[in-house]
Amino acid sequence: MTIDWAIVEMAIPLLAVGTVMTLKIASLAALFGLTGGIGLGLVSLGGWTWARWLVRAYVDFVRGTPLLIQIFIVFFGLPLMGFRLGEFWAGVIALSINCAAYVAEIVRGTVGSVEKGQTEAAKSIGMTQGTILLHILLPQSIRPMVPALTNDVITLLKNTSLLSVISVYELTRSGQAVIASHFAPLEIFALLAIYYYAIISVLSWVSRVIERRLPAW
Amino acid sequence: MTNGTRSDVAPPVPVGPLLSVQGLRKSYGDREILKGISFDVIAGQTLVLIGPSGSGKTTVLRCLNYLEVPDAGTIELAGEPIGGAYVGEPAHWTPLPEVRLALQRRKFGFVFQRFNLFPHLTALQNVAIGPRKVLGLSRPAAEARAAEQLARVSLEDHLHKRPSQLSGGQQQRVAIARALAMEPRMILFDEPTSALDPELVHEVLDVMGTLAREGMTMIVVTHEMGFARRAADRLIFMADGRIVEEGAPEAVFSAPREEKTQRFLAHILNR
Ligand SMILES: Nc1ncnc2c1ncn2[C@@H]1O[C@H](COP(=O)(O)OP(=O)(O)OP(=O)(O)O)[C@@H](O)[C@H]1O
Ligand SMILES: [Mg+2]
């Protein structure tokens, strides 16, 4: 078989449009997912019993159901609840909800594994649970959390491709559009793979730089 | 009053011991570690607690400030029961909520065997964070207090170093300053020098000796018998979850009454 280079050349700028959308969605969802997940993780470590229980149930639900189903639930559920936000925000929300659950687990695991003596020393000077979490345990956990959080952001980025099913014009969807009009699936899918790979390589590199820059004691 | 003259000197308030421990018991699983421990500590005095490994010394200290919840017994600091209160009619023991417990904990300083400094904070921040986040002092006030306490342990030249940049002896002195900055009623030391290189032991013991002379109330678990001789007002020998012998250090050292004490002292003094 031969590669149709003309189609490849034509597709490169078209896919760039989808890339911008993918980056937009991924950035927003990463922002909400990380902040929400850190908050939920802290609640599951130090909150009231009922709040911990709610976070547990939330994490369980997200981990126990396919993302595709979660996307559909948000997409069809939001309008029923009176929110007409469109497929872009439905996608951002679905991915944020999904990401936050995994981040919460990472935060719980990492913060929970800080050496026990730290909590005891903090208690011995009269600190309460919330203060200990915020000022003693969380700052010590940030650096060890970076690799796992990067993984989650990478997964999130790949998961944006699932939003093509609710017609969000992101990278995968833009590729499908080219395939539909020019029928060159192999070229386009290979090109899509390269695009994703490039974005993720940059992400990994940024994460390594961040990890190196963060203070180690 | 008995002689009928009025005195403008207030009658002495009947003071009991600063700390009073009665019948302290603690089990882990079905192993009883503390089998009924009772003792008093008088304000301004230093009590040294010795005993073989596993006898329950650390557990006693941890129960005092409720890092560990005792199964039975009472702890009173200046007349205030620690960890709970008797409420209702008839009165029954009700554990304090975590926030109230935290208020009581800060009345005890605790110095750990392995220092347990906060590695992400400088020496100054390690000492200031309590006054700042617990006592609610402003940052300048908290740091001023921290600098003062660090000077007290001769670390005024190391304020901005992190624990990893300090020697073990220096780290332990930061830990002592951290406890002092909370202005505790008493300080509990759990083998404060046993994680230190031998040549660093004296600098920590010197600080503790000075504190004792200045009138700080302290309970010290240690294997440093020289320190016990010099600084202790009272000595307790524990074995197997019980107090075996108790008295003035000189008396216990020179004429131990119990055979267990004799054997332990012979062992530790001949090391
Ligand atoms: N959290 C725990 N769970 C189970 N067992 C424990 C726990 N903490 C302590 N123990 C046990 O209780 C016993 C007494 O421990 P403790 O640390 O109080 O002794 P110690 O007198 O301080 O000894 P050492 O001189 O070695 O420090 C030990 O046998 C120990 O294994
Ligand atoms: Mg011990």
Side-chain angles (χ1 to χ4, degrees):
Chain A
M1 73 153 274
T2 54
I3 295 173
D4 188 342
W5 290 105
I7 287 188
V8 170
E9 211 172 295
M10 181 227 42
I12 286 174
L14 288 180
L15 295 190
V17 178
T19 303
V20 171
M21 181 57 95
T22 287
L23 289 178
K24 241 192 202 161
I25 293 175
S27 316
L28 284 169
L31 180 71
F32 298 143
L34 287 173
T35 45
I38 290 172
L40 290 175
L42 291 181
V43 168
S44 74
L45 282 160
W48 291 288
T49 316
W50 59 268
R52 286 177 199 215
W53 190 86
L54 275 181
V55 174
R56 276 270 33 93
Y58 170 82
V59 170
D60 260 10
F61 173 78
V62 170
R63 290 208 299 193
T65 53
L67 174 57
L68 191 59
I69 308 293
Q70 292 162 19
I71 291 170
F72 281 130
I73 290 177
V74 171
F75 183 65
F76 292 110
L78 281 181
L80 286 183
M81 291 161 65
F83 301 104
R84 310 212 157 270
L85 299 173
E87 68 274 4
F88 175 85
W89 283 108
V92 169
I93 291 170
L95 291 177
S96 304
I97 287 176
N98 184 269
C99 178
Y102 289 96
V103 170
E105 277 301 279
I106 291 173
V107 171
R108 194 172 68 95
T110 319
V111 172
S113 67
V114 174
E115 200 242 319
K116 213 169 104 263
Q118 292 290 305
T119 302
E120 294 186 345
K123 276 186 175 173
S124 79
I125 52 172
M127 285 192 177
T128 47
Q129 194 58 31
T131 318
I132 297 175
L133 274 174
L134 224 53
H135 295 284
I136 305 298
L137 303 182
L138 192 58
Q140 295 186 53
S141 307
I142 289 178
R143 192 172 203 259
M145 262 192 293
V146 169
L149 291 181
T150 307
N151 247 333
D152 272 10
V153 173
I154 286 174
T155 304
L156 164 68
L157 195 117
K158 292 194 258 192
N159 284 342
T160 53
S161 69
L162 288 175
L163 297 184
S164 56
V165 299
I166 53 168
S167 321
V168 177
Y169 198 80
E170 43 64 62
L171 184 51
T172 299
R173 177 86 183 175
S174 67
Q176 287 169 341
V178 178
I179 294 169
S181 52
H182 294 84
F183 201 74
L186 184 63
E187 282 87 345
I188 299 303
F189 280 123
L191 209 49
L192 284 177
I194 293 171
Y195 269 71
Y196 281 111
Y197 185 80
I199 299 172
I200 286 166
S201 299
V202 172
L203 262 178
S204 312
W205 174 77
V206 169
S207 134
R208 278 197 303 275
V209 170
I210 292 177
E211 202 189 342
R212 233 179 301 127
R213 288 279 173 83
L214 285 173
W217 305 286
Chain B
M1 293 297 157
T2 45
N3 60 9
T5 58
R6 287 180 59 100
S7 161
D8 32 346
V9 180
V13 185
V15 277
L18 177 62
L19 178 80
S20 177
V21 179
Q22 292 297 324
L24 198 61
R25 283 173 184 279
K26 176 72 186 174
S27 301
Y28 292 115
D30 50 12
R31 260 190 75 207
E32 194 169 42
I33 304 298
L34 299 184
K35 301 168 179 168
I37 299 279
S38 305
F39 63 90
D40 288 344
V41 183
I42 291 162
Q45 293 206 341
T46 295
L47 168 72
V48 164
L49 202 53
I50 60 172
S53 180
S55 53
K57 307 177 298 290
T58 298
T59 310
V60 169
L61 295 191
R62 292 171 58 84
C63 284
L64 293 185
N65 76 341
Y66 260 66
L67 285 178
E68 218 63 74
V69 179
D71 299 333
T74 57
I75 301 162
E76 281 189 5
L77 183 69
E80 180 187 346
I82 299 298
Y86 286 99
V87 294
E89 193 63 50
H92 60 282
W93 181 252
T94 316
L96 290 183
E98 194 55 35
V99 179
R100 296 274 308 281
L101 214 50
L103 287 175
Q104 291 191 332
R105 271 204 194 100
R106 72 187 201 209
K107 297 180 183 171
F108 295 93
F110 204 110
V111 175
F112 299 84
Q113 187 170 351
R114 306 218 48 94
F115 330 137
N116 294 359
L117 292 181
F118 307 129
H120 60 302
L121 302 178
T122 62
L124 187 73
Q125 292 166 332
N126 260 281
V127 181
I129 193 165
R132 190 151 153 61
K133 299 295 170 195
V134 177
L135 304 179
L137 266 59
S138 71
R139 188 172 157 162
E143 292 190 345
R145 182 187 285 198
E148 194 182 309
Q149 295 306 329
L150 284 165
R152 209 167 152 191
V153 297
S154 314
L155 287 174
E156 58 275 17
D157 297 333
H158 303 278
L159 301 186
H160 302 293
K161 290 191 183 157
R162 289 190 201 281
S164 59
Q165 299 167 299
L166 296 170
S167 73
Q170 292 170 331
Q171 290 187 52
Q172 194 60 298
R173 286 185 281 146
V174 174
I176 293 172
R178 176 174 68 182
L180 286 171
M182 298 304 292
E183 299 181 339
R185 299 299 299 267
M186 64 188 309
I187 303 187
L188 315 173
F189 294 83
D190 187 15
E191 299 197 34
T193 59
S194 59
L196 298 179
D197 293 336
E199 73 272 16
L200 300 178
V201 167
H202 73 93
E203 63 186 59
V204 171
L205 292 182
D206 285 352
V207 166
M208 291 167 59
T210 307
L211 286 179
R213 271 195 305 284
E214 288 172 359
M216 175 57 76
T217 313
M218 326 203 292
I219 301 181
V220 183
V221 172
T222 186
H223 294 301
E224 297 293 333
M225 296 302 139
F227 174 82
R229 266 210 164 95
R230 269 179 280 124
D233 297 289
R234 276 188 90 65
L235 188 79
I236 285 182
F237 172 68
M238 263 182 82
D240 202 19
R242 289 199 174 84
I243 292 179
V244 174
E245 191 157 350
E246 173 172 12
E250 228 23 80
V252 177
F253 281 130
S254 53
R257 275 176 284 115
E258 303 290 329
E259 201 204 319
K260 274 186 186 172
T261 322
Q262 290 162 11
R263 267 190 282 133
F264 176 76
L265 289 175
H267 171 72
I268 201 155
L269 295 173
N270 294 332
R271 265 197 318 199

